[in-house]
Amino acid sequence: MAHQGIYKALWLNDNDNLEVIDQRFLPFEKKTRILKTANDACEAIKDMTVRGAGVIGNVAAFGVYLAAREFAGDKSQIKQAAMNIRTSRPTAVNLMWAVDRMLNIVAQSDDVVKNCKAEAIAIADEDVLRTQKIGEIGCDIIENIMAKRKINQFNVLTHCNAGWLAILDSGSALAPIYEAQKRGIDIHVWVDETRPRNQGASLTSWELLDAGIKHTIIPDNTGGHLMQQGMVDMVITGADRVALNGDAANKIGTYLKALAAKDNDVPFYIALPISTFDFACEDGVSDIEIEIRSEDEVHLMRGIDRHGNVQDIRITPEESATINYGFDVTPARLITGLITEAGIIAPNKDAIGELK
Ligand code: RUB
C-alpha cells in the first residue's frame, strides 16, 4: 500500500534519504542500503543493489529528487546528475521513462526540491495501483483457464524476479499469483533459477516463501520438459521493455520459455505496467539494446558456506571466455497477451499504439 513514500522494496527514511533493500544479499541476509545522493542512486542501480524494471525506475526518480536536494535546486547540475542516472543500465525503459518525467518537473518548477519529491512519490504510488490492477486482471485469466479446463490446482511458471522486489508493491508477473492466493486459489509456482544471477532461485523463491505460496525452484533447462508433460498451465513473466510491435525484452532465457510454451500450447503472458512500453521502438527484436554484463557473473556463483558466510565461488576454468547477455527479446508472435493496468493488450502495433 502506498503511504507517503513507504513501500516494501524502498522507502524514504526518517532523515528523508532513500533506503532500499540490498537485493545482492538475499536470500541469505536482509540488509538495507541508504542512498543520500544522486550518485548513490546511480551506483545502486549499476551494482544491482536494486534491480527489476519498476524499482530501477523508482530509484532513478528518487535519485533525481536527491540531486535536487544536493544541488539546492540548481537545474543544470540536477540535469547532469539525472543524465548519469538515465544511462546507468540500458535495457529497462522504466529507467529512462522515470528520469524524463522527473526532468519535466525540474524544467517546470520554481520549488524544484519540493516538487521532485512529490513527483517521485507520485510515480511510486501509481506503481502500487498499477500492480494491483495487473494482479486482478491476471488473476481473472487464471480463473478463466481453470474454469475452462476444469482444474482445481493451477501451475504457473515464471522466469527471473518480477515480484515486489522488482516493482512496487506487488510485482508484475507475481501480482496475479499474490491475487490468486487472496482469492483462495490453489496455486503452485515453478520458479526458474535464472542463471547467471539467479534472481529466481534467490529472490522469487524468497518472496514466495515469505508469502506462504507453494513453489518449486527448477534449473533453467527444466521448463520445456514440464510443459511437454502437461505440468504448466500458464507462463507469466515481467518485461524490461516492450516495443510497439509487441516484442518483449525480459531476462535472458525468457525467449526459450516462450518457444517451449508455443510448442506445447501453454498460454504465455507478459505482465507489465504501461510505463514499460517503448512506443518509439518499432521493432523489439532488432532495436532493443541488450545489456552485456560482466563475465564474472558467469564465472562466479554467490552462495552461503557451511559457516553461514556469503561467498562467491568460481565454477569455470579461469581462462575460458564467457558472454553474459542480460536480456533477450521474445517476438510478439509467441506472446498470448500483455497484462497491463489497462487490460489485456494484444501484442501488436494497433493495440499497443492505442495506449500512447
Ligand atoms: C529483471 C527482469 C524482470 C523485469 C520485470 O532483470 O528481467 O523480469 O525487470 O520487471 P534484472 P517489473 O534483475 O537484471 O534487473 O517487474 O519491474 O515489471
Side-chain angles (χ1 to χ4, degrees):
M1 278 302 279
H3 29 84
Q4 291 303 310
I6 302 177
Y7 312 91
K8 289 186 216 162
L10 52 92
W11 54 92
L12 284 175
N13 67 15
D14 292 344
N15 298 319
D16 213 33
N17 292 314
L18 189 66
E19 194 155 344
V20 299
I21 294 185
D22 192 333
Q23 301 190 25
R24 297 169 302 173
F25 295 96
L26 290 173
F28 313 112
E29 292 169 40
K30 190 173 174 189
K31 292 188 188 182
T32 65
R33 181 168 163 189
I34 295 171
L35 313 178
K36 297 181 180 169
T37 64
N39 194 47
D40 289 348
C42 205
E43 287 307 311
I45 294 170
K46 278 191 184 158
D47 69 18
M48 307 276 285
T49 295
V50 290
R51 30 69 49 205
V55 161
I56 290 173
N58 297 123
V59 171
F62 280 107
V64 177
Y65 161 56
L66 296 176
R69 191 177 66 182
E70 194 179 344
F71 301 118
D74 181 292
K75 293 190 181 184
S76 93
Q77 282 181 295
I78 299 168
K79 191 164 176 201
Q80 205 178 337
M83 293 320 279
N84 284 340
I85 297 174
R86 200 178 187 281
T87 52
S88 53
R89 286 188 75 187
T91 304
V93 75
N94 309 60
L95 168 63
M96 297 82 191
W97 172 87
V99 170
D100 291 347
R101 195 166 143 174
M102 294 297 292
L103 283 175
N104 228 6
I105 294 296
V106 172
Q108 288 167 16
S109 301
D110 292 330
D111 193 341
V112 180
V113 179
K114 182 171 154 232
N115 291 340
C116 278
K117 180 176 176 179
E119 189 69 358
I121 290 177
I123 292 173
D125 283 349
E126 288 165 23
D127 281 350
V128 174
L129 298 176
R130 287 183 189 117
T131 59
Q132 268 171 10
K133 202 79 200 139
I134 289 169
E136 287 160 17
I137 293 168
C139 191
D140 290 345
I141 301 175
I142 292 174
E143 284 187 332
N144 286 339
I145 296 174
M146 291 182 81
K148 213 180 272 173
R149 297 185 46 203
K150 298 188 176 43
I151 50 176
N152 298 321
Q153 204 217 24
F154 198 79
N155 288 291
V156 53
L157 183 143
T158 192
H159 191 70
C160 196
N161 171 264
W164 61 258
L165 288 165
I167 178 165
L168 310 175
D169 221 354
S170 44
S172 53
L174 294 195
I177 292 162
Y178 288 128
E179 178 65 21
Q181 184 192 40
K182 270 195 220 153
R183 294 189 196 176
I185 293 170
D186 185 2
I187 195 153
H188 166 263
V189 186
W190 298 110
V191 178
D192 278 355
E193 60 179 348
T194 319
R195 280 283 288 146
R197 286 191 69 95
N198 296 317
Q199 290 95 325
S202 56
L203 304 178
T204 300
S205 60
W206 182 79
E207 275 196 37
L208 294 174
L209 201 61
D210 187 54
I213 294 176
K214 282 187 282 184
H215 63 281
T216 306
I217 302 168
I218 50 174
D220 285 332
N221 304 325
T222 307
H225 172 70
L226 296 179
M227 290 186 224
Q228 211 171 40
Q229 296 301 313
M231 295 162 78
V232 181
D233 300 305
M234 180 181 184
V235 179
I236 318 179
T237 74
D240 292 85
R241 187 184 294 241
V242 176
L244 192 58
N245 69 347
D247 293 351
N250 190 49
K251 182 52 56 193
I252 190 84
T254 304
Y255 173 38
L256 288 174
K257 294 302 137 71
L259 283 171
K262 186 75 167 180
D263 194 44
N264 292 285
D265 285 328
V266 174
F268 181 95
Y269 283 90
I270 301 259
L272 72 157
I274 291 173
S275 49
T276 303
F277 285 106
D278 181 351
F279 298 108
C281 177
E282 292 272 345
D283 184 310
V285 172
S286 56
D287 296 344
I288 295 177
E289 183 181 344
I290 301 296
E291 177 178 25
I292 299 181
R293 298 188 53 83
S294 160
E295 289 191 41
D296 277 354
E297 292 182 352
V298 182
H299 283 303
L300 305 172
M301 280 269 250
R302 174 159 290 190
I304 196 163
D305 68 16
R306 65 180 68 202
H307 308 293
N309 301 315
V310 176
Q311 300 262 7
D312 290 334
I313 57 159
R314 177 175 292 280
I315 58 165
T316 56
E318 210 162 340
E319 299 77 17
S320 293
T322 76
I323 183 83
N324 185 12
Y325 292 103
F327 302 91
D328 59 25
V329 179
T330 299
R333 67 189 152 77
L334 301 178
I335 300 170
T336 310
L338 302 165
I339 307 169
T340 75
E341 67 271 30
I344 303 160
I345 307 299
N348 62 54
K349 188 173 174 174
D350 288 347
I352 294 171
E354 284 194 14
L355 298 171
K356 267 195 226 178

PDB file of all heavy atoms in Angstrom, residues 33-59:
ATOM      1  N   ARG A  33      20.300  -0.533   2.326  1.00  0.00           N
ATOM      2  CA  ARG A  33      21.369   0.424   1.987  1.00  0.00           C
ATOM      3  C   ARG A  33      20.721   1.798   1.909  1.00  0.00           C
ATOM      4  O   ARG A  33      19.609   1.932   1.374  1.00  0.00           O
ATOM      5  CB  ARG A  33      21.978   0.007   0.648  1.00  0.00           C
ATOM      6  CG  ARG A  33      23.107   0.893   0.178  1.00  0.00           C
ATOM      7  CD  ARG A  33      23.820   0.228  -1.000  1.00  0.00           C
ATOM      8  NE  ARG A  33      24.622   1.194  -1.723  1.00  0.00           N
ATOM      9  CZ  ARG A  33      25.220   0.933  -2.896  1.00  0.00           C
ATOM     10  NH1 ARG A  33      25.095  -0.254  -3.454  1.00  0.00           N
ATOM     11  NH2 ARG A  33      25.936   1.854  -3.498  1.00  0.00           N
ATOM     12  N   ILE A  34      21.406   2.787   2.411  1.00  0.00           N
ATOM     13  CA  ILE A  34      20.854   4.145   2.426  1.00  0.00           C
ATOM     14  C   ILE A  34      21.483   4.956   1.287  1.00  0.00           C
ATOM     15  O   ILE A  34      22.711   5.003   1.154  1.00  0.00           O
ATOM     16  CB  ILE A  34      21.098   4.806   3.794  1.00  0.00           C
ATOM     17  CG1 ILE A  34      20.303   4.030   4.868  1.00  0.00           C
ATOM     18  CG2 ILE A  34      20.674   6.274   3.779  1.00  0.00           C
ATOM     19  CD1 ILE A  34      20.610   4.418   6.286  1.00  0.00           C
ATOM     20  N   LEU A  35      20.622   5.546   0.477  1.00  0.00           N
ATOM     21  CA  LEU A  35      21.087   6.345  -0.661  1.00  0.00           C
ATOM     22  C   LEU A  35      20.829   7.819  -0.354  1.00  0.00           C
ATOM     23  O   LEU A  35      19.683   8.218  -0.150  1.00  0.00           O
ATOM     24  CB  LEU A  35      20.349   5.923  -1.941  1.00  0.00           C
ATOM     25  CG  LEU A  35      20.262   4.409  -2.199  1.00  0.00           C
ATOM     26  CD1 LEU A  35      19.471   4.121  -3.477  1.00  0.00           C
ATOM     27  CD2 LEU A  35      21.644   3.773  -2.274  1.00  0.00           C
ATOM     28  N   LYS A  36      21.930   8.596  -0.299  1.00  0.00           N
ATOM     29  CA  LYS A  36      21.799  10.006   0.101  1.00  0.00           C
ATOM     30  C   LYS A  36      21.969  10.963  -1.059  1.00  0.00           C
ATOM     31  O   LYS A  36      21.589  12.124  -0.971  1.00  0.00           O
ATOM     32  CB  LYS A  36      22.856  10.343   1.161  1.00  0.00           C
ATOM     33  CG  LYS A  36      22.700   9.557   2.438  1.00  0.00           C
ATOM     34  CD  LYS A  36      23.762   9.971   3.445  1.00  0.00           C
ATOM     35  CE  LYS A  36      23.600   9.176   4.713  1.00  0.00           C
ATOM     36  NZ  LYS A  36      24.710   9.329   5.624  1.00  0.00           N
ATOM     37  N   THR A  37      22.628  10.491  -2.114  1.00  0.00           N
ATOM     38  CA  THR A  37      22.931  11.390  -3.236  1.00  0.00           C
ATOM     39  C   THR A  37      22.508  10.740  -4.555  1.00  0.00           C
ATOM     40  O   THR A  37      22.259   9.534  -4.623  1.00  0.00           O
ATOM     41  CB  THR A  37      24.449  11.657  -3.314  1.00  0.00           C
ATOM     42  OG1 THR A  37      25.092  10.403  -3.603  1.00  0.00           O
ATOM     43  CG2 THR A  37      25.000  12.231  -2.026  1.00  0.00           C
ATOM     44  N   ALA A  38      22.499  11.566  -5.603  1.00  0.00           N
ATOM     45  CA  ALA A  38      22.175  11.045  -6.933  1.00  0.00           C
ATOM     46  C   ALA A  38      23.193   9.983  -7.330  1.00  0.00           C
ATOM     47  O   ALA A  38      22.847   8.967  -7.938  1.00  0.00           O
ATOM     48  CB  ALA A  38      22.189  12.197  -7.936  1.00  0.00           C
ATOM     49  N   ASN A  39      24.440  10.223  -6.973  1.00  0.00           N
ATOM     50  CA  ASN A  39      25.466   9.238  -7.316  1.00  0.00           C
ATOM     51  C   ASN A  39      25.237   7.906  -6.590  1.00  0.00           C
ATOM     52  O   ASN A  39      25.438   6.833  -7.160  1.00  0.00           O
ATOM     53  CB  ASN A  39      26.853   9.804  -6.988  1.00  0.00           C
ATOM     54  CG  ASN A  39      27.934   8.980  -7.642  1.00  0.00           C
ATOM     55  OD1 ASN A  39      27.828   8.672  -8.832  1.00  0.00           O
ATOM     56  ND2 ASN A  39      28.915   8.556  -6.874  1.00  0.00           N
ATOM     57  N   ASP A  40      24.773   7.981  -5.337  1.00  0.00           N
ATOM     58  CA  ASP A  40      24.435   6.740  -4.608  1.00  0.00           C
ATOM     59  C   ASP A  40      23.359   5.960  -5.371  1.00  0.00           C
ATOM     60  O   ASP A  40      23.423   4.738  -5.489  1.00  0.00           O
ATOM     61  CB  ASP A  40      23.870   7.047  -3.211  1.00  0.00           C
ATOM     62  CG  ASP A  40      24.916   7.571  -2.248  1.00  0.00           C
ATOM     63  OD1 ASP A  40      26.116   7.485  -2.565  1.00  0.00           O
ATOM     64  OD2 ASP A  40      24.523   8.077  -1.165  1.00  0.00           O
ATOM     65  N   ALA A  41      22.363   6.692  -5.878  1.00  0.00           N
ATOM     66  CA  ALA A  41      21.264   6.032  -6.602  1.00  0.00           C
ATOM     67  C   ALA A  41      21.796   5.374  -7.872  1.00  0.00           C
ATOM     68  O   ALA A  41      21.456   4.236  -8.202  1.00  0.00           O
ATOM     69  CB  ALA A  41      20.176   7.049  -6.939  1.00  0.00           C
ATOM     70  N   CYS A  42      22.660   6.107  -8.561  1.00  0.00           N
ATOM     71  CA  CYS A  42      23.269   5.611  -9.789  1.00  0.00           C
ATOM     72  C   CYS A  42      24.056   4.324  -9.516  1.00  0.00           C
ATOM     73  O   CYS A  42      23.903   3.321 -10.222  1.00  0.00           O
ATOM     74  CB  CYS A  42      24.213   6.712 -10.278  1.00  0.00           C
ATOM     75  SG  CYS A  42      24.542   6.691 -11.987  1.00  0.00           S
ATOM     76  N   GLU A  43      24.865   4.349  -8.487  1.00  0.00           N
ATOM     77  CA  GLU A  43      25.686   3.178  -8.138  1.00  0.00           C
ATOM     78  C   GLU A  43      24.807   1.991  -7.751  1.00  0.00           C
ATOM     79  O   GLU A  43      25.083   0.849  -8.105  1.00  0.00           O
ATOM     80  CB  GLU A  43      26.649   3.512  -6.971  1.00  0.00           C
ATOM     81  CG  GLU A  43      27.804   4.401  -7.377  1.00  0.00           C
ATOM     82  CD  GLU A  43      28.564   3.850  -8.574  1.00  0.00           C
ATOM     83  OE1 GLU A  43      28.912   2.654  -8.561  1.00  0.00           O
ATOM     84  OE2 GLU A  43      28.786   4.602  -9.545  1.00  0.00           O
ATOM     85  N   ALA A  44      23.731   2.260  -7.004  1.00  0.00           N
ATOM     86  CA  ALA A  44      22.853   1.172  -6.543  1.00  0.00           C
ATOM     87  C   ALA A  44      22.174   0.476  -7.722  1.00  0.00           C
ATOM     88  O   ALA A  44      21.928  -0.729  -7.689  1.00  0.00           O
ATOM     89  CB  ALA A  44      21.807   1.719  -5.578  1.00  0.00           C
ATOM     90  N   ILE A  45      21.886   1.247  -8.772  1.00  0.00           N
ATOM     91  CA  ILE A  45      21.296   0.637  -9.983  1.00  0.00           C
ATOM     92  C   ILE A  45      22.367  -0.165 -10.721  1.00  0.00           C
ATOM     93  O   ILE A  45      22.154  -1.309 -11.116  1.00  0.00           O
ATOM     94  CB  ILE A  45      20.675   1.720 -10.895  1.00  0.00           C
ATOM     95  CG1 ILE A  45      19.476   2.375 -10.201  1.00  0.00           C
ATOM     96  CG2 ILE A  45      20.250   1.112 -12.238  1.00  0.00           C
ATOM     97  CD1 ILE A  45      18.923   3.617 -10.906  1.00  0.00           C
ATOM     98  N   LYS A  46      23.551   0.442 -10.861  1.00  0.00           N
ATOM     99  CA  LYS A  46      24.627  -0.225 -11.609  1.00  0.00           C
ATOM    100  C   LYS A  46      25.084  -1.522 -10.955  1.00  0.00           C
ATOM    101  O   LYS A  46      25.326  -2.511 -11.630  1.00  0.00           O
ATOM    102  CB  LYS A  46      25.847   0.705 -11.704  1.00  0.00           C
ATOM    103  CG  LYS A  46      25.749   1.714 -12.806  1.00  0.00           C
ATOM    104  CD  LYS A  46      27.100   2.390 -12.971  1.00  0.00           C
ATOM    105  CE  LYS A  46      26.992   3.476 -14.014  1.00  0.00           C
ATOM    106  NZ  LYS A  46      28.020   4.473 -13.897  1.00  0.00           N
ATOM    107  N   ASP A  47      25.214  -1.491  -9.617  1.00  0.00           N
ATOM    108  CA  ASP A  47      25.776  -2.698  -8.973  1.00  0.00           C
ATOM    109  C   ASP A  47      24.693  -3.687  -8.547  1.00  0.00           C
ATOM    110  O   ASP A  47      24.986  -4.657  -7.857  1.00  0.00           O
ATOM    111  CB  ASP A  47      26.708  -2.312  -7.809  1.00  0.00           C
ATOM    112  CG  ASP A  47      25.965  -1.699  -6.611  1.00  0.00           C
ATOM    113  OD1 ASP A  47      24.736  -1.862  -6.499  1.00  0.00           O
ATOM    114  OD2 ASP A  47      26.635  -1.064  -5.774  1.00  0.00           O
ATOM    115  N   MET A  48      23.450  -3.438  -8.959  1.00  0.00           N
ATOM    116  CA  MET A  48      22.335  -4.367  -8.726  1.00  0.00           C
ATOM    117  C   MET A  48      21.917  -4.476  -7.255  1.00  0.00           C
ATOM    118  O   MET A  48      21.299  -5.448  -6.853  1.00  0.00           O
ATOM    119  CB  MET A  48      22.634  -5.766  -9.275  1.00  0.00           C
ATOM    120  CG  MET A  48      23.052  -5.808 -10.720  1.00  0.00           C
ATOM    121  SD  MET A  48      21.686  -5.824 -11.883  1.00  0.00           S
ATOM    122  CE  MET A  48      21.049  -7.466 -11.774  1.00  0.00           C
ATOM    123  N   THR A  49      22.253  -3.447  -6.466  1.00  0.00           N
ATOM    124  CA  THR A  49      21.659  -3.378  -5.130  1.00  0.00           C
ATOM    125  C   THR A  49      20.141  -3.408  -5.302  1.00  0.00           C
ATOM    126  O   THR A  49      19.419  -4.080  -4.574  1.00  0.00           O
ATOM    127  CB  THR A  49      22.065  -2.054  -4.437  1.00  0.00           C
ATOM    128  OG1 THR A  49      23.468  -2.072  -4.240  1.00  0.00           O
ATOM    129  CG2 THR A  49      21.349  -1.878  -3.100  1.00  0.00           C
ATOM    130  N   VAL A  50      19.684  -2.640  -6.287  1.00  0.00           N
ATOM    131  CA  VAL A  50      18.274  -2.681  -6.699  1.00  0.00           C
ATOM    132  C   VAL A  50      18.229  -3.120  -8.151  1.00  0.00           C
ATOM    133  O   VAL A  50      19.160  -2.846  -8.910  1.00  0.00           O
ATOM    134  CB  VAL A  50      17.591  -1.303  -6.558  1.00  0.00           C
ATOM    135  CG1 VAL A  50      17.420  -0.927  -5.110  1.00  0.00           C
ATOM    136  CG2 VAL A  50      18.364  -0.222  -7.313  1.00  0.00           C
ATOM    137  N   ARG A  51      17.173  -3.836  -8.505  1.00  0.00           N
ATOM    138  CA  ARG A  51      17.029  -4.276  -9.894  1.00  0.00           C
ATOM    139  C   ARG A  51      15.544  -4.530 -10.126  1.00  0.00           C
ATOM    140  O   ARG A  51      14.717  -4.402  -9.234  1.00  0.00           O
ATOM    141  CB  ARG A  51      17.933  -5.474 -10.242  1.00  0.00           C
ATOM    142  CG  ARG A  51      18.286  -6.460  -9.166  1.00  0.00           C
ATOM    143  CD  ARG A  51      17.154  -7.295  -8.683  1.00  0.00           C
ATOM    144  NE  ARG A  51      16.405  -7.879  -9.779  1.00  0.00           N
ATOM    145  CZ  ARG A  51      15.152  -8.244  -9.735  1.00  0.00           C
ATOM    146  NH1 ARG A  51      14.448  -8.073  -8.626  1.00  0.00           N
ATOM    147  NH2 ARG A  51      14.534  -8.781 -10.757  1.00  0.00           N
ATOM    148  N   GLY A  52      15.241  -4.932 -11.380  1.00  0.00           N
ATOM    149  CA  GLY A  52      13.828  -5.056 -11.757  1.00  0.00           C
ATOM    150  C   GLY A  52      13.398  -3.714 -12.348  1.00  0.00           C
ATOM    151  O   GLY A  52      13.679  -2.645 -11.763  1.00  0.00           O
ATOM    152  N   ALA A  53      12.726  -3.792 -13.499  1.00  0.00           N
ATOM    153  CA  ALA A  53      12.455  -2.567 -14.256  1.00  0.00           C
ATOM    154  C   ALA A  53      11.757  -1.483 -13.425  1.00  0.00           C
ATOM    155  O   ALA A  53      12.158  -0.320 -13.436  1.00  0.00           O
ATOM    156  CB  ALA A  53      11.620  -2.927 -15.485  1.00  0.00           C
ATOM    157  N   GLY A  54      10.697  -1.866 -12.726  1.00  0.00           N
ATOM    158  CA  GLY A  54       9.915  -0.875 -11.984  1.00  0.00           C
ATOM    159  C   GLY A  54      10.725  -0.203 -10.888  1.00  0.00           C
ATOM    160  O   GLY A  54      10.763   1.036 -10.775  1.00  0.00           O
ATOM    161  N   VAL A  55      11.394  -1.014 -10.082  1.00  0.00           N
ATOM    162  CA  VAL A  55      12.142  -0.466  -8.940  1.00  0.00           C
ATOM    163  C   VAL A  55      13.340   0.365  -9.416  1.00  0.00           C
ATOM    164  O   VAL A  55      13.671   1.395  -8.817  1.00  0.00           O
ATOM    165  CB  VAL A  55      12.532  -1.604  -7.960  1.00  0.00           C
ATOM    166  CG1 VAL A  55      13.661  -1.183  -7.035  1.00  0.00           C
ATOM    167  CG2 VAL A  55      11.309  -2.014  -7.140  1.00  0.00           C
ATOM    168  N   ILE A  56      13.944  -0.036 -10.523  1.00  0.00           N
ATOM    169  CA  ILE A  56      15.018   0.795 -11.091  1.00  0.00           C
ATOM    170  C   ILE A  56      14.451   2.189 -11.412  1.00  0.00           C
ATOM    171  O   ILE A  56      15.071   3.215 -11.119  1.00  0.00           O
ATOM    172  CB  ILE A  56      15.591   0.144 -12.374  1.00  0.00           C
ATOM    173  CG1 ILE A  56      16.386  -1.115 -12.038  1.00  0.00           C
ATOM    174  CG2 ILE A  56      16.487   1.127 -13.123  1.00  0.00           C
ATOM    175  CD1 ILE A  56      16.838  -1.906 -13.274  1.00  0.00           C
ATOM    176  N   GLY A  57      13.248   2.208 -11.986  1.00  0.00           N
ATOM    177  CA  GLY A  57      12.599   3.486 -12.298  1.00  0.00           C
ATOM    178  C   GLY A  57      12.350   4.314 -11.040  1.00  0.00           C
ATOM    179  O   GLY A  57      12.590   5.532 -11.023  1.00  0.00           O
ATOM    180  N   ASN A  58      11.895   3.665  -9.971  1.00  0.00           N
ATOM    181  CA  ASN A  58      11.640   4.398  -8.729  1.00  0.00           C
ATOM    182  C   ASN A  58      12.926   4.962  -8.125  1.00  0.00           C
ATOM    183  O   ASN A  58      12.955   6.108  -7.661  1.00  0.00           O
ATOM    184  CB  ASN A  58      10.978   3.492  -7.673  1.00  0.00           C
ATOM    185  CG  ASN A  58       9.619   3.006  -8.110  1.00  0.00           C
ATOM    186  OD1 ASN A  58       9.371   1.811  -8.167  1.00  0.00           O
ATOM    187  ND2 ASN A  58       8.744   3.933  -8.459  1.00  0.00           N
ATOM    188  N   VAL A  59      13.981   4.141  -8.123  1.00  0.00           N
ATOM    189  CA  VAL A  59      15.248   4.612  -7.540  1.00  0.00           C
ATOM    190  C   VAL A  59      15.793   5.769  -8.383  1.00  0.00           C
ATOM    191  O   VAL A  59      16.337   6.740  -7.858  1.00  0.00           O
ATOM    192  CB  VAL A  59      16.252   3.443  -7.396  1.00  0.00           C
ATOM    193  CG1 VAL A  59      17.637   3.950  -6.994  1.00  0.00           C
ATOM    194  CG2 VAL A  59      15.738   2.443  -6.362  1.00  0.00           C
TER     195      VAL A  59
END
